[in-house]
Amino acid sequence: ALHVRATRDRLGSYALIYFPTSDQEVSVDLSKLRAPRLRAWWFDPRTGIGTLVGEVIGGTRRTFRSPSHGPDWVLVLDDPAAGYGPPGM
């Protein structure tokens, strides 16, 4: 069974999706975020390091799979125009 937790800011400029285990997959409705383009990051709370996955097009549905090594991953989706720094910084 898929057990993830998610939140986003009320303006829709970022979202955080927590994956408690590795190699979990979730389909995300990016239309809930307002940016036309979004950056996708994997953040490892065990090390405090965020790794950029790349940019994705907003307004679509996209499937993400947590990294296959170690538990506790956070998928961070943010609007590049908002000027957020890398997760963990």
Side-chain angles (χ1 to χ4, degrees), residues 17-76:
I17 304 168
Y18 171 72
F19 293 74
T21 62
S22 61
D23 209 31
Q24 275 190 300
E25 187 175 274
V26 67
S27 179
V28 179
D29 181 358
L30 299 175
S31 71
K32 302 299 181 188
L33 299 168
R34 296 182 185 211
R37 295 182 93 43
L38 298 161
R39 288 184 301 191
W41 304 82
W42 281 112
F43 176 69
D44 182 346
R46 293 163 291 138
T47 64
I49 296 172
T51 303
L52 182 63
V53 175
E55 287 197 7
V56 295
I57 304 298
T60 61
R61 183 167 287 279
R62 172 91 186 254
T63 299
F64 295 92
R65 180 175 293 280
S66 59
S68 61
H69 55 281
D72 295 325
W73 291 98
V74 179
L75 176 64
V76 179

Side-chain angles (χ1 to χ4, degrees), residues 3-4 9-11 19 27 34 39 41 48 50 59 68 78 84:
H3 296 286
V4 299
D9 75 322
R10 72 180 168 83
L11 298 177
F19 293 74
S27 179
R34 296 182 185 211
R39 288 184 301 191
W41 304 82
S68 61
D78 67 30
Y84 298 116

